[in-house]
């Protein structure tokens, strides 16, 4: 595979092919432009004798209709597909890709019978897969193995830069719990700041690798953001104005000290029940990553989640950088200059918390935080940025600037729940250290927690 597009999802796809051996279809979910179609076709080229790629966003109506009219005559279905796409199919050595399958629900419903037929393998890709309008009037097949695909993580970003050495070294120091040393840490932080600004959308990373030009990368990001806005107007029909309002307000919400999403910033009369569908739409599109308040981490994160209190992170931090200054030109975007010069202030702090959320999510954790507000005694107030499950224990994770002096919320949280907690972590801009029972990791190790 080309270094620029080497993805960890490929290994999961190999495992699916080997273990399931035709007994399921593989469904790759992810946001638009995250690389689903590319990896599906690359996998098909590398691992099969032949393949057919049906892009349902572009396929003519005659192809769409096939999956309604020929569902009971698979011989004819395969014959027509083979002739139309000019591809010979080989039993147990060909794969058919249903790209943007949400745009042809009948094709997805047919998966049950295609898998049972057993002649070929099937890979589906799509976004907004579970949105009601995309599954209306069809039976969801149980013969699907799901993979969620996210923007490139930091290690994949380094692979794209042609760097195969740095991250294994970072992982080794993480596992051995020892500092990297000043020179190496400084170098990794420089690369990590690039990752924060560029993000992990493949087209953006490719533009940066080819040009090393942040402005060129920013132009691609603006196109992706426009695509997302176009999707909102097309697929969030009836409540698109609410989706726009939430989406555009994300940078403003994250720039505040308390990053919980407050609908009052949109309208004083706004209520969650009126905006619930809009939040769900953005999460289903995988454009954002909601982080829910776990009100009682001792009984489990999922069991105590409170949907009405949430933080909303962009799924890709690079897109957040551009979204924050979407009305200005690249030259007016102060974040690029400040991050590259390592001048993190309050506003740029939103990027460090967002990139940690992005890395934790890509590592397989669901996003939760803890917040307690006591109007009668403000000293009882506390907020923990993230809670992650490690084994049977819950670990609190705080994101701090390099110059932080204390962690009062973490101290209060440990006093309240200590006997049921696992290790306690602070992620910050400095090298590894352990102090007062709290493990301090550099930000770029967030994906290893």
């Amino acid at each position: 595979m080309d270094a620029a597009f080497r993805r960890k999802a490929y290994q999961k796809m190999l495992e699916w092919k080997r273990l399931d051996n035709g007994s399921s279809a593989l469904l790759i979910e992810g946001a638009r432009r995250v690389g689903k179609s590319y990896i599906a076709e690359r996998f098909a080229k590398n691992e099969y004798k032949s393949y057919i790629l049906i892009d349902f966003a572009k396929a003519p109506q005659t192809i769409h209709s096939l999956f309604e009219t020929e569902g009971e005559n698979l011989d004819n279905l395969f014959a027509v597909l083979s002739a139309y796409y000019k591809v010979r199919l080989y039993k147990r050595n060909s794969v058919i890709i249903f790209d943007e399958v949400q745009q042809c629900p009948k094709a997805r419903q047919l998966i049950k019978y295609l898998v049972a037929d057993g002649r070929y393998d099937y890979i589906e890709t799509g976004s907004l897969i579970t949105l009601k309008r995309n599954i209306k009037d069809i039976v969801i097949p149980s013969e699907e193995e799901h993979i969620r695909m996210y923007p490139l993580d930091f290690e994949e970003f380094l692979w794209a830069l042609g760097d195969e050495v740095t991250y294994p070294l970072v992982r080794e120091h993480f596992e051995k719990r020892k500092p990297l040393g000043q020179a190496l840490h400084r170098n990794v932080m420089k690369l990590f700041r690039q990752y924060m600004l560029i993000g992990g959308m493949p087209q953006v990373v490719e533009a940066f690798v080819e040009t090393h030009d942040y402005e060129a990368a920013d132009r691609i990001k603006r196109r992706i953001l426009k695509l997302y806005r176009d999707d909102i107007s097309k697929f969030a029909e009836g409540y698109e104005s609410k989706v726009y309002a939430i989406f555009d307000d994300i940078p403003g919400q994250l720039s505040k000290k308390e990053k919980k999403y407050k609908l009052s910033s949109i309208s004083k009369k706004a209520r969650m029940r009126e905006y619930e569908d809009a939040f769900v739409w953005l999460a289903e599109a995988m454009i954002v990553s909601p982080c829910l308040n776990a009100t009682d981490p001792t009984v489990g994160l999922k069991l105590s989640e409170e949907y009405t209190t949430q933080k909303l992170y962009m799924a890709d931090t690079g897109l957040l950088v551009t979204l924050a200054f979407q009305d200005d030109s690249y030259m007016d975007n102060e974040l690029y200059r400040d991050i590259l010069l390592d001048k993190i202030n309050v506003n740029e702090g939103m990027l460090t918390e967002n990139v940690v959320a992005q890395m934790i999510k890509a590592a397989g954790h669901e996003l939760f935080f803890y917040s307690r507000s006591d109007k009668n005694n403000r000293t009882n107030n506390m907020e923990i940025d993230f809670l992650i499950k490690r084994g049977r224990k819950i670990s609190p994770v705080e994101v701090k600037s390099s110059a932080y002096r204390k962690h009062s919320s973490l101290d209060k949280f440990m006093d309240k729940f200590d006997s049921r907690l696992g290790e306690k972590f602070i992620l910050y801009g400095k090298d590894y250290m352990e102090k007062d029972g709290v493990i301090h990791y550099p930000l770029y190790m967030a994906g290893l927690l």
Side-chain angles (χ1 to χ4, degrees):
M1 297 178 70
D2 295 341
F5 292 100
R6 182 180 168 196
R7 304 299 303 272
K8 295 177 182 178
Y10 197 95
Q11 186 60 40
K12 295 179 181 178
M13 297 170 75
L14 284 173
E15 291 173 7
W16 160 77
K17 184 175 186 291
R18 177 176 61 85
L19 295 175
D20 284 29
N21 192 30
S23 64
S24 74
L26 182 67
L27 174 58
I28 307 173
E29 297 178 69
R32 296 257 265 153
R33 294 293 186 267
V34 83
K36 305 182 300 297
S37 303
Y38 176 89
I39 198 169
E41 186 168 15
R42 195 56 182 267
F43 185 79
K45 285 180 180 177
N46 290 346
E47 309 301 334
Y48 294 87
K49 190 172 182 178
S50 73
Y51 71 95
I52 290 174
L53 189 152
I54 308 170
D55 182 351
F56 285 115
K58 299 177 181 178
Q61 187 56 42
T62 52
I63 296 297
H64 281 255
S65 298
L66 272 178
F67 293 91
E68 294 193 34
T69 61
E70 303 299 333
E72 295 182 4
N73 189 346
L74 296 185
D75 289 342
N76 194 49
L77 173 69
F78 296 139
V80 173
L81 290 176
S82 182
Y84 182 85
Y85 289 98
K86 298 180 175 60
V87 173
R88 182 177 178 182
L89 294 171
Y90 300 88
K91 188 175 181 179
R92 299 305 315 134
N93 204 9
S94 293
V95 61
I96 301 176
I97 302 170
F98 293 172
D99 199 22
E100 301 293 348
V101 71
Q102 77 278 0
Q103 298 203 32
C104 188
K106 291 296 183 180
R108 188 179 178 199
Q109 178 173 269
L110 200 59
I111 283 293
K112 175 182 179 68
Y113 305 99
L114 293 170
V115 167
D117 174 75
R119 271 177 270 187
Y120 313 115
D121 282 356
Y122 302 90
I123 297 175
E124 306 165 272
T125 78
S127 53
L128 295 168
I129 286 291
T130 57
L131 208 64
K132 289 179 182 177
R133 63 176 285 172
N134 291 333
I135 56 175
K136 185 180 179 182
D137 301 328
I138 71 165
V139 177
I140 303 298
S142 58
E143 298 78 9
E144 288 178 333
E145 181 71 22
H146 289 239
I147 289 179
R148 287 204 143 199
M149 198 166 177
Y150 300 100
L152 277 73
D153 65 19
F154 183 45
E155 184 174 17
E156 290 171 321
F157 178 77
L158 292 177
W159 290 344
L161 296 180
D163 183 348
E164 302 269 348
V165 177
T166 297
Y167 207 79
L169 201 56
V170 168
R171 183 181 285 108
E172 179 185 339
H173 282 74
F174 172 86
E175 292 171 349
K176 292 183 177 179
R177 298 194 173 183
K178 64 179 185 179
L180 277 78
Q182 188 175 11
L184 182 56
H185 169 72
R186 189 187 302 117
N187 182 59
V188 181
M189 278 302 297
K190 179 182 176 182
L191 292 167
F192 188 70
R193 286 195 293 272
Q194 287 183 350
Y195 174 64
M196 288 174 63
L197 292 172
I198 297 300
M201 303 303 283
Q203 287 180 310
V204 181
V205 175
E206 182 181 31
F208 181 72
V209 169
E210 290 178 352
T211 65
H212 291 282
D213 183 349
Y214 287 95
E215 186 171 8
D218 194 76
R219 283 198 298 272
I220 304 295
K221 287 191 286 180
R222 288 175 185 269
R223 290 176 202 163
I224 294 173
L225 289 171
K226 183 183 183 303
L227 176 68
Y228 287 173
R229 295 184 69 82
D230 291 344
D231 281 349
I232 292 170
S233 64
K234 185 176 180 181
F235 299 115
E237 188 177 350
Y239 52 94
E240 60 266 42
S241 61
K242 291 183 172 65
V243 180
Y244 283 136
I246 294 170
F247 182 61
D248 290 335
D249 202 37
I250 290 173
Q253 297 279 352
L254 292 177
S255 66
K256 297 172 183 175
K257 184 176 181 181
E258 286 195 4
K259 294 176 172 57
K260 293 190 292 289
Y261 202 102
K262 295 184 178 179
L263 283 172
S264 58
S265 66
I266 297 174
S267 168
K268 291 183 179 180
K269 296 181 180 179
R271 297 292 181 267
M272 177 57 76
R273 64 178 179 274
E274 300 167 354
Y275 280 79
E276 185 173 356
D277 286 345
F279 279 100
V280 169
W281 192 95
L282 285 166
E284 288 291 336
M286 295 177 70
I287 296 171
V288 304
S289 297
C291 182
L292 303 183
N293 185 20
T295 57
D296 186 0
T298 63
V299 301
L301 301 178
K302 197 74 176 173
L303 292 174
S304 66
E305 69 181 20
E306 182 187 16
Y307 184 79
T308 57
T309 308
Q310 61 178 298
K311 296 187 286 187
L312 216 56
Y313 297 105
M314 283 290 289
D316 182 72
T317 306
L319 292 180
L320 175 61
V321 170
T322 300
L323 181 64
F325 284 79
Q326 61 180 330
D327 296 326
D328 301 319
S329 69
Y330 162 78
M331 298 302 294
D332 294 324
N333 192 330
E334 300 169 359
L335 294 177
Y336 283 98
R337 181 190 65 242
D338 291 349
I339 295 295
L340 287 172
L341 294 175
D342 196 17
K343 293 182 178 179
I344 306 269
N345 60 34
V346 173
N347 288 330
E348 282 80 62
M350 72 176 177
L351 299 185
T352 57
E353 194 167 320
N354 198 97
V355 77
V356 167
Q358 180 178 342
M359 295 169 77
I360 289 175
K361 184 81 172 177
H365 297 288
E366 292 300 317
L367 296 181
F368 294 96
F369 72 105
Y370 178 83
S371 180
R372 179 186 178 187
S373 180
D374 187 340
K375 294 180 180 179
N376 298 320
N377 185 355
R378 297 189 65 180
T379 60
N380 290 329
N381 292 355
M382 65 180 106
E383 185 159 324
I384 303 298
D385 296 327
F386 300 101
L387 301 174
I388 59 174
K389 188 175 181 182
R390 304 177 85 237
R392 296 185 177 182
K393 296 283 189 176
I394 303 298
S395 287
V397 180
E398 285 267 62
V399 182
K400 298 287 188 182
S401 70
S402 298
Y404 93 98
R405 293 287 181 267
K406 57 183 180 179
H407 41 72
S408 55
S409 280
L410 186 56
D411 291 338
K412 286 185 275 190
F413 186 79
M414 290 190 294
D415 288 341
K416 185 175 179 64
F417 298 112
D418 191 50
S419 63
R420 298 169 188 178
L421 297 179
E423 294 178 308
K424 300 88 181 172
F425 302 111
I426 282 178
L427 296 168
Y428 70 153
K430 292 185 178 179
D431 206 348
Y432 170 86
M433 84 169 175
E434 188 168 349
K435 183 179 180 182
D436 301 328
V438 179
I439 299 169
H440 295 61
Y441 282 122
L443 288 164
Y444 49 77
M445 290 185 178
L448 297 170
L449 291 179

